[in-house]
Amino acid sequence: MAVTILGRLAARAPVPVFVAMGRDGAPAIEHLLKSGDIDFTATPRHANILLVAGRTRESDQPYLDRLHDQMPHPRATFWWGDAHSDDIDEARRSASADDPVAPLRALYRKLIGGSYASETHRLSDEPPAPWRGRGDHGQGGEGMMGGVPYGRMMPMPPTPDIRDGLALDVYRTQVGPFMPYWPAGLILEVTFQGDVIQSAEVVQPPYPPRDIDREPFDRLLHEQTPLAQIERTRATHHLACIARVLSLVELPTLSRRAQIVAARIRANETVAIGPLRKAAARAGLMAAIKPGLGRIDDDLACELGGPVRRAAGHVLDSRNDDPTYTRLGFTPVTQKQSDCQARVAQWFDEAEQALALASAAPHILIAQGQLAEPPWALRAPPLDYRVTELLPGLEWSEALLVLNSFDSAALCRMAPLETP
Amino acid sequence: MYAALAGSGVAIVPFSSASVLADLEVGIVWWGAVEALTVVVVFLHGWSANAQFGLIGAYRYVAIGLPVMLISMFMLIAAALPAESLALPQIVESQRGLWNVIRQPLGLPLFLLLGLSLSFRGPFNYADSADIAGGTAAEVSGAPRLVWEFARLAMLTAVAAMAASVFLGGYLGPWLPGPAWLVLKTATLLLVLVCLTEQLARISPSRMMTLIWTTLLPLSFLHLVWAGVLAL
Amino acid sequence: MALTGLVIIFITFFAGALIVQKLPTRADHHQLAESQKVPFLGGSSPNTHAWQRYHIRYYSMTLLFIAFEMEMMFMYPWAVVYVTEGVKALAEMGMFLAILTVGILYGWREGIFRWQ
């Protein structure tokens, strides 16, 4: 009796969902936060439903399976997006145009109620290395450090530290590709000493900007597109980036608010960014990011282009040459410092400007084939710079701030596979 | 593994009604022990999972937890000076004329920092933060996580109750009975703590450590001297 | 008397927390798969144990902390006799704190409050 009441209460709580962003056809997940019915969790261990948004790379499948297995029982997977095959039953998928909140809630209720069987593990139930029965005590190891105690090796032997030269263990591991506030799809091989990054290497580059953000810019290539739509998409893209940074400085409520504002702008509602920006400033967002953190040199900023370049103080924006924009009195906004602070401020400035443009010219169309500045870094390779060069010596939380102060296109360009 | 964390939520509870539960002569010392053990328990919680993110959270927490503990103890000892006792009831009684929050104005705000730090919330969330995917709690789910989150909230409440007793005169107050005043004051402080959690951004751990040692700790020295001169 | 009360409260919470954690596992009939035990790294799997000779970046700060923690021990009795002892007690503790403050300044100059 008591258990059923508890079960019913649990089924009414916000659905804990761990999101794995896909590369192709990824829908706008911030939309889910609007109703307050869905909770995005920081780790799969706090979730019951794995939400696969869009389709991931083939090579990411094992990583996805591992996340799935890490979820506690009862657990289920939900696919949101168009690219999925039809053999998945109706209860566990949703087209990208549909609103998956109701199906997610229904699935969660069934899971909690027990009418939907919890999914079994997808990876094999084997330890990473056979260890049972080996060694002196059957622990799989030999002596102090040798062998594979309980299936894993001990951490790497000591190497001198890059700062104070103390020789202590380094911890080398792959991180990614699916974490909240981690560039989706990026897999880095990171060497830690303590919580400071000694070195990093790209294993898999991140995914390019989401289809949903790219759509109006791609459409402009072959048909007329309203200026307002282009500018609104720019604002949503920037807000999604800002939300990640907000969450990294422990302002989860503001981060959620930024995502909800983004979702409402996408739904063509009239919202102002000013209050959000003021709240973030009051909370000390800029003070929380160390000045000079993640500063990049001018050459790199110029190579990357887009908001990154404007955050370095270069007035370069293809909207400047567009007669439609010039008529609206458009002048690009810039920052000077070219560090994390400047890039975040640049996002805020551009998002506010974009909304102002959209409301100033609600019906103007841009002719097809015109070059409209996309909201991300757009210049073409080649690049000699690597994002991995920015990270060594940074403490983990600072490293994440640096990574998340770039848009995904810039990161893609800065994270090519290392050539062997 | 999780057994120890329960202790963190527990040990402080006797203070929630200063005149009734445990009338310890060395209440302040006991509280100091609770603070110290909390640091140990949170560290163990992060360490026990054998996962890098938990470890980062655990070690980082110790770096901030230790100096904040110093500050809070200075605040409490300053409050003990006019009472000439380390027992909480005497400290409350010593505020019959004037509450400590007015007599020693720096005490309450600096002590509230401890509340944020002990339950690692908002600007002091170095243990269970988003950048390390939930930190020390990243590897727990289900009932153990429930107990952990409960312990965090219990700790926050304990700090608020403690602060209400030491700085806001505890059960003292006109018209209402004593316990009602204590609950009221504790609830108010909880509200303040929750607002601080939501309203402040977190800076990187090394900058926070510098800030604590070079600004907040000297401030608490000044506070102690101020309280000492007043108490004479 | 007070101590007995404290111990009882302590044990009650401790046992309560243990029971809340252990009860559901008895009803849970799912086997813990090996792949479920892997720590979370965004989908990646670690090759090694995370238990390591960890580089504590603030180790020099902890030495300074010990000095202050010892001082705290002297302060407990000091606080009780403070008013009866009067200015003498204030002066003594003032000197003690002043010496320790020099320690902070020295440590600051040496940069021990940064992540080494």
Side-chain angles (χ1 to χ4, degrees):
Chain A
M1 181 59 196
V3 174
T4 45
I5 294 175
L6 278 179
R8 251 183 244 145
L9 274 178
R12 245 184 250 165
V15 185
V17 165
F18 186 83
V19 182
M21 285 298 298
R23 188 183 58 179
D24 306 317
I29 53 153
E30 57 265 21
H31 173 77
L32 295 182
L33 292 172
K34 260 170 85 179
S35 65
D37 226 14
I38 310 279
D39 249 356
F40 293 160
T41 62
T43 138
R45 306 238 189 241
H46 300 176
N48 288 104
I49 296 179
L50 176 66
L51 177 71
V52 185
R55 187 150 60 180
T56 58
R57 273 183 305 233
E58 284 295 314
S59 61
D60 290 336
Q61 195 56 40
Y63 298 92
L64 203 58
D65 290 343
R66 195 166 295 116
L67 286 181
H68 173 268
D69 288 0
Q70 280 168 345
M71 283 195 297
H73 294 285
R75 61 190 175 202
T77 320
F78 191 93
W79 283 270
W80 185 19
D82 298 324
H84 298 296
S85 56
D86 291 331
D87 56 343
I88 304 157
D89 63 69
E90 280 297 317
R92 292 191 296 143
R93 66 189 167 94
S94 200
S96 60
D98 294 346
D99 185 356
V101 173
L104 274 172
R105 163 66 61 190
L107 178 61
Y108 184 59
R109 197 177 299 126
K110 278 191 225 156
L111 265 182
I112 296 288
S115 62
Y116 192 94
S118 177
E119 288 168 8
T120 181
H121 52 90
R122 293 206 200 129
L123 295 178
S124 69
D125 188 7
E126 297 278 324
W131 57 273
R132 266 171 234 278
R134 299 195 190 166
D136 303 339
H137 309 285
Q139 86 281 26
E142 298 141 24
M144 280 285 279
M145 301 288 289
V148 280
Y150 303 100
R152 282 220 170 80
M153 289 189 308
M154 296 307 287
M156 307 290 268
T159 50
D161 179 66
I162 51 173
R163 287 203 196 162
D164 56 8
L166 282 184
L168 285 162
D169 285 354
V170 292
Y171 182 74
R172 200 175 158 79
T173 187
Q174 288 189 7
V175 184
F178 303 114
M179 281 200 286
Y181 324 118
W182 177 261
L186 175 67
I187 306 178
L188 283 184
E189 172 115 11
V190 184
T191 307
F192 290 98
Q193 204 156 40
D195 55 357
V196 171
I197 296 177
Q198 300 285 94
S199 67
E201 236 172 83
V202 178
V203 180
Q204 286 287 329
Y207 299 151
R210 293 184 297 182
D211 290 352
I212 188 127
D213 291 328
R214 270 208 316 258
E215 196 265 344
F217 297 94
D218 290 350
R219 187 142 52 99
L220 188 61
L221 293 178
H222 41 85
E223 62 180 276
Q224 291 188 325
T225 310
L227 179 143
Q229 197 191 353
I230 290 212
E231 291 304 322
R232 278 170 175 276
T233 310
R234 184 187 317 279
T236 36
H237 172 268
H238 288 348
L239 277 172
C241 294
I242 290 167
R244 285 206 299 269
V245 174
L246 281 173
S247 155
L248 282 176
V249 295
E250 286 302 301
L251 293 169
T253 328
L254 281 182
S255 163
R256 203 184 164 98
R257 191 164 139 196
Q259 293 182 64
I260 292 173
V261 170
R264 290 179 56 192
I265 292 175
R266 197 187 296 284
N268 283 335
E269 292 175 43
T270 319
V271 228
I273 298 176
L276 175 76
R277 186 173 194 176
K278 268 200 201 102
R282 252 202 321 271
L285 167 66
M286 287 306 167
I289 306 174
K290 194 161 79 180
L293 177 69
R295 178 168 294 149
I296 52 174
D297 58 38
D298 235 27
D299 295 343
L300 175 54
C302 291
E303 288 268 10
L304 285 169
V308 178
R309 178 172 192 168
R310 287 190 289 278
H314 297 274
V315 187
L316 204 94
D317 192 318
S318 53
R319 288 176 287 177
N320 231 354
D321 313 326
D322 189 311
T324 327
Y325 279 98
T326 341
R327 232 178 305 134
L328 287 168
F330 170 82
T331 42
V333 280
T334 55
Q335 318 289 324
K336 288 207 172 57
Q337 291 302 319
S338 194
D339 54 4
C340 287
Q341 269 188 1
R343 287 191 287 271
V344 174
Q346 181 70 18
W347 280 332
F348 266 121
D349 283 347
E350 288 197 9
E352 282 184 319
Q353 189 187 38
L355 281 193
L357 284 170
S359 62
H363 304 298
I364 294 183
L365 293 173
I366 300 181
Q368 75 179 73
Q370 278 282 4
L371 187 67
E373 178 91 3
W376 44 76
L378 74 163
R379 299 277 304 269
L383 260 182
D384 297 329
Y385 297 94
R386 301 271 186 275
V387 70
T388 45
E389 286 167 13
L390 291 174
L391 301 182
L394 289 183
E395 194 263 338
W396 177 245
S397 64
E398 292 172 339
L400 278 188
L401 274 176
V402 170
L403 276 179
N404 279 300
S405 70
F406 294 102
D407 53 72
S408 46
L411 270 179
C412 269
R413 309 254 335 276
M414 292 163 72
L417 284 177
E418 317 277 331
T419 38
Chain B
M1 157 181 168
Y2 302 115
L5 66 93
S8 72
V10 180
I12 33 21
V13 169
F15 290 97
S16 55
S17 69
S19 59
V20 205
L21 275 173
D23 184 9
L24 213 58
E25 268 183 44
V26 285
I28 297 288
V29 183
W30 177 270
W31 175 262
V34 167
E35 282 179 20
L37 281 177
T38 306
V39 175
V40 176
V41 165
V42 174
F43 172 79
L44 282 178
H45 190 237
W47 176 85
S48 58
N50 193 1
Q52 177 70 0
F53 286 154
L55 273 182
I56 292 180
Y59 281 104
R60 225 160 58 169
Y61 175 74
V62 173
I64 304 301
L66 294 182
V68 171
M69 192 161 85
L70 284 182
I71 296 177
S72 79
M73 289 321 289
F74 276 117
M75 294 304 115
L76 290 182
I77 287 187
L81 290 182
E84 295 182 60
S85 164
L86 294 174
L88 270 189
Q90 257 95 319
I91 294 181
V92 176
E93 281 304 315
S94 76
Q95 302 175 63
R96 232 171 231 296
L98 190 62
W99 287 358
N100 273 344
V101 67
I102 303 168
R103 196 158 45 185
Q104 308 174 352
L106 279 176
L108 186 61
L110 284 178
F111 192 76
L112 286 185
L113 293 186
L114 168 89
L116 295 179
S117 161
L118 269 193
S119 55
F120 31 98
R121 301 173 74 82
F124 281 91
N125 190 355
Y126 291 100
D128 284 11
S129 53
D131 59 330
I132 39 178
T136 70
E139 300 296 328
V140 292
S141 44
R145 181 164 168 245
L146 173 77
V147 174
W148 179 250
E149 296 298 331
F150 169 78
R152 265 177 85 176
L153 290 175
M155 186 51 102
L156 192 72
T157 320
V159 173
M162 186 77 185
S165 294
V166 175
F167 298 104
L168 292 181
Y171 51 80
L172 300 174
W175 312 308
L176 290 175
W181 271 116
L182 184 65
V183 170
L184 216 66
K185 288 168 184 172
T186 308
T188 316
L189 285 182
L190 273 178
L191 199 69
V192 173
L193 282 171
V194 170
C195 285
L196 285 178
T197 307
E198 299 292 330
Q199 296 295 334
L200 287 176
R202 191 195 66 172
I203 60 181
S204 77
S206 60
R207 287 169 79 208
M208 179 55 100
M209 201 160 83
T210 314
L211 179 74
I212 291 175
W213 277 98
T214 58
T215 314
L216 299 182
L217 207 60
L219 262 186
S220 67
F221 289 171
L222 282 183
H223 171 80
L224 192 69
V225 172
W226 168 261
V229 171
L230 270 191
L232 279 179
Chain C
M1 189 49 222
L3 262 186
T4 337
L6 266 182
V7 170
I8 291 173
I9 295 171
F10 195 95
I11 291 177
T12 319
F13 266 73
F14 201 81
L18 269 188
I19 291 168
V20 168
Q21 288 180 48
K22 291 300 165 207
L23 268 187
T25 45
R26 289 179 42 178
D28 191 5
H29 36 80
H30 293 288
Q31 283 282 323
L32 194 62
E34 284 291 341
S35 54
Q36 194 166 5
K37 297 178 190 165
V38 178
F40 174 64
L41 284 166
S44 295
S45 164
N47 304 317
T48 61
H49 287 280
W51 287 324
Q52 56 193 287
R53 281 164 290 184
Y54 189 94
H55 195 323
I56 308 180
R57 298 278 163 182
Y58 48 84
Y59 54 90
S60 38
M61 179 277 286
T62 53
L63 291 177
L64 190 63
F65 170 77
I66 291 177
F68 278 88
E69 194 65 356
M70 287 315 293
E71 183 241 354
M72 203 59 74
M73 240 176 60
F74 299 124
M75 281 185 99
Y76 289 129
W78 173 80
V80 177
V81 299
Y82 175 77
V83 175
T84 38
E85 291 288 320
V87 183
K88 197 176 109 199
L90 180 67
E92 279 175 2
M93 194 47 77
M95 279 192 287
F96 197 3
L97 281 184
I99 294 171
L100 287 179
T101 311
V102 176
I104 296 187
L105 289 177
Y106 176 70
W108 194 9
R109 197 198 73 171
E110 296 288 309
I112 66 169
F113 303 131
R114 281 183 279 123
W115 249 221
Q116 307 255 331

